[in-house]
Amino acid sequence: MSKVALVTGGSRGIGAAISKALQAAGYTVAANYAGNDDAARAFTEETGIKTYKWSVADYDACAAGIKQVEAELGPIAVLVNNAGITRDSMFHKMTPQQWKEVIDTNLTGLFNMTHPTWAGMRDRKYGRIVNISSINGQKGQAGQANYSAAKAGDLGFTKALAQEGARAGITVNAICPGYIGTEMVRAIDEKVLNERIIPQIPVGRLGEPEEIARCVVFLASDDAGFITGSTISANGGQFFV
Ligand code: CAA
């Protein structure tokens, strides 16, 4: 029986590429999404991957959603915490709402998804958790105090949980994508993207979602069993830790 992988935000952007790559690697994939029903329907039609709608910002919804996925597909072996949002604004203009939405989804979302999955992984003595952080959690980004704080928090969460999971056969790792050619990045003002951001990427281009998906497949594999608490930076040379 193939292992079950659950990918949050798994029907669009980097998440869709991750879902497809895990499917191609032989996993039974469940793709969670929060809002875009049309995109989820089209994704299922294209790939055959089942989609499940709930917000990672809601603990009870996560617990119920995970229960449903496990009842339908089997115990979750791989959890990819990919769902994320931006509410970019210079700090002096940032509202408490913009702060809260990003923290609730991009940081608390990891707690909400991982906590209900953890006990089962511990019982089975096997698990792979891959958290999608960001280059901007490593270096900080003007206009993203909320996002940078959440994504840096994701890295602390990863390192703490890696230590707890190690003896239970659970690895917990992070990937920090740089600027990848998804809707999220294309939503940045074109002038800002072309004149301020792309010139800072040494390889001279945006990354491809598949380039992040391949990192996830590796970290999810049995071959990566000795790697835990680590961060893979996939950013075209824009930032070295
Ligand atoms: N450092 C310091 N100051 C900066 C700055 C920077 N990097 N960028 C802009 N500023 C300054 C500007 O020079 C300007 O100063 P003055 O008023 O003195 O001229 C001031 O900040 C305001 O800048 P803007 O005119 O750009 O302000 P705005 O309100 O129109 O837009 C913004 C603000 C929406 C944050 C816009 O600057 C922006 O989109 N920046 C890019 C943010 C970014 O990189 N987001 C990443 C999204 S993708 C993602 O998050 C995925 C991932 O993980 C990588």
Side-chain angles (χ1 to χ4, degrees):
M1 265 239 327
S2 64
K3 287 182 183 141
V4 175
L6 171 56
V7 183
T8 66
S11 63
R12 292 198 298 139
I14 293 174
I18 294 170
S19 296
K20 288 185 205 172
L22 287 169
Q23 183 189 46
Y27 296 85
T28 301
V29 178
N32 149 270
Y33 73 102
N36 192 329
D37 293 320
D38 291 342
R41 210 171 301 117
F43 178 77
T44 299
E45 272 169 27
E46 179 201 336
T47 62
I49 293 172
K50 279 184 103 168
T51 53
Y52 296 83
K53 185 176 182 176
W54 74 81
S55 166
V56 299
D58 178 338
Y59 184 89
D60 292 339
C62 290
I66 287 161
K67 212 168 163 189
Q68 188 190 347
V69 169
E70 294 202 317
E72 290 180 14
L73 304 181
I76 293 165
V78 179
L79 171 64
V80 184
N81 286 311
N82 164 77
I85 59 169
T86 54
R87 297 288 181 268
D88 291 2
S89 164
M90 298 308 277
F91 188 62
H92 61 281
K93 290 190 242 173
M94 188 174 284
T95 63
Q97 185 67 17
Q98 287 174 316
W99 172 266
K100 187 172 164 12
E101 283 177 19
V102 169
I103 298 295
D104 285 354
T105 298
N106 297 10
L107 178 57
T108 308
L110 268 63
F111 174 84
N112 293 344
M113 285 299 302
T114 308
H115 195 256
T117 312
W118 192 247
M121 286 184 172
R122 276 168 53 90
D123 287 347
R124 294 186 294 276
K125 302 241 170 300
Y126 185 88
R128 293 280 187 267
I129 295 175
V130 183
N131 298 321
I132 308 300
S133 176
S134 165
I135 184 175
N136 291 343
Q138 296 174 300
K139 73 171 184 59
Q141 171 62 47
Q144 289 200 304
N146 48 5
Y147 187 90
S148 300
K151 293 295 188 176
D154 293 343
L155 297 179
F157 176 79
T158 299
K159 291 171 194 171
L161 215 52
Q163 294 175 46
E164 293 192 24
R167 282 167 192 263
I170 306 169
T171 68
V172 188
N173 290 289
I175 298 169
C176 284
Y179 284 75
I180 309 298
T182 61
E183 272 175 56
M184 183 186 274
V185 166
R186 306 253 178 229
I188 300 172
D189 179 82
E190 216 180 314
K191 206 167 141 64
V192 172
L193 187 61
N194 291 331
E195 293 178 14
R196 285 205 219 129
I197 293 174
I198 293 179
Q200 290 176 16
I201 306 174
V203 302
R205 65 171 175 86
L206 298 175
E208 299 290 338
E210 292 72 21
E211 292 179 302
I212 304 306
R214 286 195 286 273
C215 299
V216 175
V217 172
F218 170 62
L219 289 174
S221 70
D222 287 339
D223 288 345
F226 200 56
I227 302 174
T228 194
S230 291
T231 301
I232 296 181
S233 300
N235 62 33
Q238 190 180 348
F239 185 75
F240 307 133
V241 182

